[in-house]
Amino acid sequence: MADIPRRKIAKSLKAKGFVQTKSGSDHEWFVFCYNDKEYKHIMAKISRGSSYKTYPESLWKRMKIMLRLQKNQEVHDLLTCPMKHEQYLEILRKEGEIS
Amino acid sequence: MPAVTDMGRFGDRRESLWTDSVRFDRKSEARAACPGIHYPVTSTTQSVSPVWYAPIGVPMTPPAATMPETHHLPRVSHGGRVVEFDRGLSLQLRISFEDGLFIASDSRFGLYGSGKSREQAFDDFSEFFVEFFAEITSSKDKDLPPSTREFKKTLAAFGTLRTDG
């Protein structure tokens, strides 16, 4: 699957309920928030710098476990936006992560 | 017939998964790069200075410097803090080279780090792991939703955060 621009990843995460909690010179941290609670174990880290303007599949697929997804295609859909916020919530409900 | 043009028989599926043919000046080099080869590495028919090819469809052995490595870590440290895996488990860390980057990742928690060298990737992973571990284990239970509280227990059963030194 194709590379994903870093900016698109950040934008997509925010659209799915993630909130940026930290921002340093090297990384941005995004934590999933739902019903005013931070689910700190459901998160994503995005690296900054010239080597990370786009994320190749080898990098974005490694977000799968932290995003609590089962398939690389789901990660791709979440990070490129075909997956809607409600669809992601439904996955997290099925996984028992949120109620 | 050059080997490069004779590899269609291995099919599209393999070709899409593995590398294209690569030119070698010596047959021994081509064979070394293709340890799993079950058929001859053939040369071109050029009369002068034959050229050897690793055929399409054969997984290539990357240079030794980029070979994947697996490590079992008893601890991970960063920025004056250390997570000791003192409950009988170690952290399995795999470092691989993909898309021009070294990537250090663990399959237990799904954390990873990357960089232009193994050391950078390991350092990036260590920072992520220690920060993540500290962030969750230092949170008060009342502030956490149920699934994060469970995850906190998992982390606590795995290791202990200490100040380095």
Side-chain angles (χ1 to χ4, degrees), chain A residues 22 26-27 29 37-47 50-52 55-63 65-66 68 96-99, chain B residues 94 96 98-99 101 103 105-116 124 127-128 131-132 135-136 139 142-148 151:
Chain A
K22 292 182 190 176
D26 296 334
H27 305 107
W29 288 51
K37 290 278 189 185
E38 281 190 353
Y39 290 72
K40 294 183 178 183
H41 68 302
I42 306 175
M43 57 90 63
K45 179 196 73 166
I46 300 179
S47 299
S50 57
S51 301
Y52 301 98
Y55 262 51
E57 181 175 357
S58 57
L59 279 182
W60 60 251
K61 74 180 184 184
R62 286 191 160 79
M63 298 180 180
I65 297 176
M66 296 299 290
R68 300 299 184 260
E97 298 291 350
I98 62 174
S99 53
Chain B
R94 186 173 191 273
S96 58
E98 299 169 59
D99 294 319
L101 285 170
I103 300 174
S105 58
D106 89 283
S107 55
R108 184 184 298 268
F109 300 112
L111 306 184
Y112 70 94
S114 60
K116 291 179 180 173
D124 195 42
E127 179 183 6
F128 190 14
E131 284 283 320
F132 178 74
E135 181 72 31
I136 293 185
S139 297
K142 67 178 178 60
D143 297 330
L144 300 175
S147 60
T148 309
F151 191 83

Side-chain angles (χ1 to χ4, degrees), chain B:
Chain B
M1 177 69 72
V4 189
T5 60
D6 190 30
M7 293 303 142
R9 67 180 187 273
F10 294 109
D12 293 335
R13 187 183 64 80
R14 286 180 140 195
E15 289 180 15
S16 67
L17 288 175
W18 293 329
T19 69
D20 285 337
S21 63
V22 175
R23 174 184 158 154
F24 295 93
D25 292 328
R26 292 174 184 277
K27 186 176 182 179
S28 59
E29 291 172 359
R31 285 192 178 280
C34 309
I37 196 166
H38 297 301
Y39 41 85
V41 176
T42 53
S43 74
T44 65
T45 54
Q46 292 171 357
S47 58
V48 181
S49 183
V51 176
W52 300 90
Y53 289 92
I56 295 170
V58 176
M60 301 293 295
T61 303
T66 58
M67 289 285 280
E69 288 179 359
T70 301
H71 302 271
H72 295 272
L73 306 176
R75 70 187 63 81
V76 176
S77 61
H78 185 83
R81 293 180 295 182
V82 57
V83 179
E84 298 265 8
F85 306 127
D86 49 7
R87 312 292 165 90
L89 296 168
S90 61
L91 187 75
Q92 186 174 312
L93 183 74
R94 186 173 191 273
I95 303 180
S96 58
F97 185 74
E98 299 169 59
D99 294 319
L101 285 170
F102 285 92
I103 300 174
S105 58
D106 89 283
S107 55
R108 184 184 298 268
F109 300 112
L111 306 184
Y112 70 94
S114 60
K116 291 179 180 173
S117 67
R118 285 179 190 278
E119 291 72 24
Q120 282 182 7
F122 181 69
D123 194 51
D124 195 42
F125 171 84
S126 299
E127 179 183 6
F128 190 14
F129 188 91
V130 172
E131 284 283 320
F132 178 74
F133 193 99
E135 181 72 31
I136 293 185
T137 55
S138 64
S139 297
K140 293 177 180 173
D141 282 356
K142 67 178 178 60
D143 297 330
L144 300 175
S147 60
T148 309
R149 276 204 298 273
E150 285 302 309
F151 191 83
K152 179 183 172 183
K153 288 179 191 170
T154 303
L155 284 179
F158 188 67
T160 308
L161 179 69
R162 296 193 173 93
T163 303
D164 210 354

